[in-house]
Amino acid sequence: MSALSSSIQGVPESLREEGLLARARKLMAEALGIDGHIDTIQRVVMGEDLGKRHDAGHVDFPRLREGEMHAPFFAFWVPVFFQGAEAVRRTLDLRDAMQSVLNTYQDRIELATTAADIERIVKAHRIAAFLTIEGGHTIADDLRVLRTYYLLGMRSMTLTHARNTNWADSANDTPAHNGLTDFGKQVVREMNRLGMIVDLAHVSDKTFYDALAVTTKPVIVSHSSMRAISNVPRNASDDMLRALAKNGGVIGINFGMGFINPKDAEKLRSATNAEAEAPTLTGKALDEYAAKNAQKLFGERASVVATVEDVADHIDHAVRIAGIDHVGIGSDFDGIAATANGLEDVSKMPALIAVLLKRGYGEGDLKKILGKNFLRVVRQVTGE
Ligand SMILES: [Zn+2]
C-alpha cells in the first residue's frame, strides 16, 4: 500500500484493494489538475500561511500536492455586503494578499494569465495561480475598474454573487432586471474584448441565457452542480447544460453539501441568507464584520449526508447531458461550510478520481475533467 492510500481516511476499502487509488494518483500526477474555483485567498487575508499544512480550511500547498491538484483558479470572493468603492477596495486587498503569497513562495507558485502559462508552470511542478473575481459588484458599475482588474492579472469574473448587481440578476435574489441590462451586456462584450472569461456561476437563469446570447467566446460555470439531482437555484438545469455545450463552455462541479445532496440543501439555504444583510460599515469596521461572518460560515463542519459517490453522480449526469468535453472540477473549497464526505479537503481528490475509474472512465476522459476542458476555454478566451 502506498503512503498516499494510507493517508486517505474514510475511503471505501474496495478502492484501495483494487489499486484504484494508486492508479488515480498516477494519472493525476500527469494531469493539469485545474480546479475552476477555490476561495482560499480570503483565508490569507485573515492571516493563514498557505505554505504550511493546516487542519482548518480546505486548501494549502502541502494538501494541493497530496491531492495532485496543480492549477486552482484563485477566486477573489467579495461578499455582497461590500458595495461600490468598498467592493473595489476589498478586491484590491485580496489581490494584494495573493501577491504576498506569490512573492513569499516563488519556488512553489507562479501567476498564470494564459493557457500556455498554466501548462508551463504545471510542467515545472509549481502551482499555477489563475486569478478570478467572484461577483460583478466588484467593478462598481465602471468598465474602467474592470479593465484595471485585467491589468492586475485577473482573467475571469462571475457576473453576480448572492445578490443582484445593478446590471445582472442573481440566482439567489428576486429578479430586478429580467436578466442582463444593456450595461450588463456591455460588461460581457468588454470581457470578450479584453480576454476575460465570463463566469455564469451564481447568475439567474435569465441572466445565463442573456449572457450566452451576447458572448462571442466560450463561458464557464465555474462552481455549480446538477439541478436534476439537487434542485437549488445555484445548480444548472439540463437545458442550461445543453446551451453551455453549444457555446463550447465548461461547468465545474461544486463539492458543497447542499449542491450535491438534496438532504443537505435546506442547510445551504439558511447559510446563503446569512449574507443578505448589508451593514452600513466601511473600512476596517467592515473588514472586521467580514472576518466575523467568515468565522460563522466556516467555523464548524456541519453533519453532512453528501458523499464522494454523490459527487461522482453529478459528474456522470453532466457528462451524459453536456458531453465529456464540457465538464470539470469547481470544488468551491474554502468557500463552502462543508464538502461531501470523503472529499473533506483537496488532499482527498484522488478518492473522487478512483471512484470515477471504478465507474469506467478512461484516463483520457479523466484528464479532460481534470483540466483539459478548462484549459481549452482559457486558450480560446485569453488568446494564448
Ligand atoms: Zn461562489
Side-chain angles (χ1 to χ4, degrees):
M1 187 182 288
S2 73
L4 176 96
S5 0
S6 58
S7 78
I8 291 191
Q9 308 291 319
V11 167
E13 202 52 44
S14 60
L15 295 177
R16 286 181 209 190
E17 282 163 10
E18 294 163 41
L20 289 167
L21 269 178
R23 263 183 71 202
R25 186 165 163 79
K26 184 168 175 293
L27 96 87
M28 292 179 82
E30 298 159 0
L32 289 164
I34 292 179
D35 182 332
H37 189 93
I38 64 169
D39 285 312
T40 305
I41 290 303
Q42 54 114 2
R43 287 178 46 233
V44 175
V45 169
M46 294 187 288
E48 201 104 308
D49 177 356
L50 296 189
K52 299 198 174 80
R53 198 183 198 289
H54 300 275
D55 292 328
H58 302 140
V59 177
D60 47 48
F61 294 166
R63 284 185 286 178
L64 279 169
R65 172 127 311 189
E66 286 168 39
E68 293 290 356
M69 293 300 281
H70 319 295
F73 287 9
F74 284 89
F76 300 148
W77 163 45
V78 176
V80 289
F81 47 73
F82 288 89
Q83 286 290 328
E86 287 294 335
V88 177
R89 184 179 64 81
R90 182 66 170 190
T91 309
L92 296 179
D93 282 355
L94 289 158
R95 179 65 183 85
D96 179 72
M98 183 80 237
Q99 193 60 41
S100 75
V101 173
L102 292 166
N103 292 347
T104 306
Y105 294 108
Q106 288 177 34
D107 52 335
R108 294 163 82 177
I109 186 167
E110 190 180 336
L111 176 67
T113 57
T114 65
D117 281 348
I118 293 174
E119 288 179 305
R120 173 181 57 77
I121 296 163
V122 169
K123 208 175 222 168
H125 301 288
R126 287 197 298 274
I127 297 158
F130 191 79
L131 310 188
T132 72
I133 304 163
E134 180 154 36
H137 60 297
T138 57
I139 66 168
D141 307 330
D142 191 332
L143 293 180
R144 292 169 297 188
V145 176
L146 175 71
R147 287 193 283 270
T148 304
Y149 290 163
Y150 178 84
L151 289 176
L152 292 172
M154 305 172 202
R155 289 294 178 270
S156 177
M157 182 175 79
T158 72
L159 300 184
T160 74
H161 191 242
R163 288 290 166 268
N164 300 337
T165 64
N166 293 325
W167 42 271
D169 286 337
S170 160
N172 292 106
D173 205 343
T174 312
H177 312 297
N178 189 28
L180 273 183
T181 66
D182 284 344
F183 179 73
K185 290 172 186 168
Q186 241 177 294
V187 172
V188 170
R189 283 190 207 99
E190 187 65 355
M191 290 177 78
N192 282 167
R193 189 190 68 80
L194 286 167
M196 275 178 101
I197 302 167
V198 175
D199 185 348
L200 299 179
H202 282 287
V203 301
S204 75
D205 289 19
K206 183 61 166 51
T207 303
F208 175 90
Y209 292 111
D210 282 359
L212 281 187
V214 172
T215 185
T216 57
K217 304 264 176 73
V219 301
I220 60 174
V221 182
S222 63
H223 59 301
S224 300
S225 300
M226 301 295 107
R227 225 177 261 179
I229 300 174
S230 184
N231 187 13
V232 292
R234 270 286 284 107
N235 282 342
S237 69
D238 289 359
D239 189 67
M240 289 161 88
L241 291 174
R242 284 186 278 267
L244 181 72
K246 207 166 150 209
N247 158 273
V250 176
I251 185 165
I253 301 299
N254 190 313
F255 297 171
M257 58 179 190
F259 291 83
I260 295 302
N261 192 302
K263 293 195 183 108
D264 292 322
E266 219 27 69
K267 284 174 259 179
L268 178 78
R269 271 190 202 106
S270 50
T272 310
N273 287 338
E275 225 192 288
E277 289 308 311
T280 52
L281 304 169
T282 57
K284 230 184 160 61
L286 185 55
D287 293 345
E288 280 162 12
Y289 176 85
K292 258 188 231 143
N293 196 60
Q295 283 297 342
K296 237 186 342 193
L297 277 176
F298 306 118
E300 237 173 84
R301 188 179 156 81
S303 63
V304 176
V305 179
T307 67
V308 62
E309 294 281 351
D310 290 336
V311 175
D313 289 349
H314 283 259
I315 291 174
D316 279 349
H317 187 85
V319 168
R320 207 175 309 123
I321 305 296
I324 188 70
D325 293 326
H326 304 285
V327 182
I329 302 296
S331 68
D332 211 358
F333 280 139
D334 288 324
I336 41 181
T339 59
N341 290 313
L343 275 174
E344 286 82 359
D345 64 24
V346 68
S347 72
K348 308 287 180 71
M349 274 298 293
L352 174 61
I353 302 307
V355 168
L356 295 174
L357 280 169
K358 194 179 170 77
R359 291 187 183 195
Y361 282 76
E363 300 203 352
D365 290 344
L366 290 172
K367 283 181 179 170
K368 287 183 177 180
I369 292 171
L370 283 165
K372 267 182 135 176
N373 289 338
F374 270 123
L375 191 82
R376 180 189 72 237
V377 174
V378 172
R379 182 167 284 123
Q380 287 173 347
V381 176
T382 68
E384 286 169 74

